Amino acid sequence: MGDYQYCIQCNPRETPKKQQGGTVDRHYSQVNVNARLKPDYLKEGYYNDQGYLRKEIFTKEAEMVAGVLAAGGMTSASLRRFYNKLRDIYTRYKDNKNFDEIKPDLYKFYPNANYAVRRKTATVPEAFLIFINTNVALAEQSPRNLIGFVEHFQSVVAYFKDNEGRRN
């Protein structure tokens, strides 16, 4: 399995080594450390034509985002801090069912993410700003999209742990 003593899926303590060309060898995929979120990221939204959450927001798109963020140097603490804020907002929405009341808290993600990226000691890559801007713009449209954002972000956090070794 490339530069591993053991397959990364069999021994998660093995750390992947960078190969020539800026990619990291993984048993199941490769992520370019200079990767960016694709321009068509979430172009189809969270839901399919039947009105159900699309499989890709849990799988392919979530894994891609996690890989890009990890490659950009984001820490799991920074990612979880934003995810926990979103969960708090969603919990408040579930408790009082007043979407208009929680929308200002969604809007706060814009300046908070921008600040996190621009800090001198930033552990948050530029790609995270695109992630937040894209998702908040969708989530602020309806309570249904808020649920989509929560589910997608949760999947990104889950895949992020697997991608953490991909940081520069």
Side-chain angles (χ1 to χ4, degrees), residues 113-154:
N114 189 52
Y115 175 75
V117 169
R118 307 284 182 243
R119 287 180 46 208
K120 287 182 183 176
T121 59
T123 57
V124 180
E126 188 78 30
F128 185 70
L129 194 56
I130 296 166
F131 170 76
I132 288 296
N133 290 346
T134 303
N135 280 280
V136 171
L138 283 171
E140 69 185 44
Q141 294 173 5
S142 68
R144 189 168 175 248
N145 278 354
L146 174 62
I147 294 167
F149 181 25
V150 171
E151 294 290 337
H152 180 52
F153 205 154
Q154 181 177 8

Side-chain angles (χ1 to χ4, degrees), residues 70-91:
M74 186 153 198
T75 62
S76 58
S78 296
L79 185 65
R80 288 200 69 83
R81 190 171 23 259
F82 278 91
Y83 174 69
N84 289 336
K85 288 179 186 180
L86 179 62
R87 288 296 303 185
D88 290 345
I89 292 168
Y90 181 61
T91 299

Side-chain angles (χ1 to χ4, degrees), residues 37-71:
L37 292 180
K38 296 175 183 174
D40 62 346
Y41 167 64
L42 285 183
K43 184 177 80 172
E44 298 177 36
Y46 301 115
Y47 294 89
N48 61 23
D49 294 337
Q50 292 80 30
Y52 299 108
L53 289 167
R54 292 185 307 110
K55 177 182 176 181
E56 294 79 13
I57 71 160
F58 296 104
T59 57
K60 185 174 71 173
E61 290 179 359
E63 186 172 16
M64 180 269 302
V65 170
V68 168
L69 296 178

Side-chain angles (χ1 to χ4, degrees), residues 10-25:
C10 299
N11 186 358
R13 292 178 189 210
E14 284 291 311
T15 306
K17 297 176 184 167
K18 288 183 189 169
Q19 295 182 342
Q20 209 166 16
T23 58
V24 174
D25 186 10

Side-chain angles (χ1 to χ4, degrees), residues 89 91-99 101-102:
I89 292 168
T91 299
R92 283 196 3 259
Y93 168 71
K94 284 188 347 187
D95 289 346
N96 65 19
K97 300 289 188 217
N98 187 343
F99 186 65
E101 184 179 306
I102 60 101

